[in-house]
Amino acid sequence: MAQTCPCFPRCGGCTTRNLPYDRQLAQKTAYIQDLLKPFGGRVSPCAGGAEEGCRNKVHLAFCTEKGVVRAGFFDSRTHRVVPVSACSMHGDWYEKLVTVVESWCAGCKIIP
């Protein structure tokens, strides 16, 4: 089973976080196969990699929480922001990025 996350499933960043990793890969393979089926496409099973710290880009969303600018992800299927200060899917760099960006926003008095 994947590592538990205090933001799952609200943040919407990891839709299969509750499944064992082999089931996550199978579900992703089935999704791609369904997309390509009308075109006669066939795919090999999705290859696994690192289960944690494997994402290399992030789409940050911003909100104000108790007067403080917070960065995070959109709530699943909405545009409400779920503040996320650390994310194991992104690795240590994510936490550093959020700290720098939130501090910069506060120092520049930027309000989302």
Side-chain angles (χ1 to χ4, degrees):
M1 180 78 64
Q3 182 182 12
T4 59
C5 175
C7 299
F8 177 80
R10 290 185 326 125
C11 91
C14 302
T15 57
T16 60
R17 187 82 174 163
N18 59 323
L19 300 175
Y21 192 56
D22 60 335
R23 294 233 356 247
Q24 292 179 33
L25 294 174
Q27 191 173 46
K28 291 173 186 180
T29 300
Y31 176 73
I32 299 298
Q33 285 175 333
D34 286 346
L35 289 175
L36 295 177
K37 192 174 187 175
F39 307 103
R42 301 178 105 181
V43 297
S44 299
C46 289
E51 292 184 46
E52 305 291 328
C54 56
R55 294 189 179 163
N56 63 357
K57 77 172 196 173
V58 64
H59 178 140
L60 287 177
F62 297 90
C63 67
T64 303
E65 186 178 74
K66 297 179 182 175
V68 177
V69 174
R70 298 290 314 272
F73 302 109
F74 287 121
D75 186 346
S76 183
R77 297 189 177 112
T78 73
H79 279 94
R80 289 186 305 267
V81 176
V82 176
V84 178
S85 58
C87 177
S88 64
M89 294 305 294
H90 290 90
D92 294 339
W93 66 268
Y94 173 84
E95 189 172 353
K96 293 172 188 172
L97 173 71
V98 168
T99 299
V100 167
V101 171
E102 288 178 347
S103 296
W104 179 77
C105 287
C108 294
K109 298 184 181 0
I110 295 174
I111 300 169

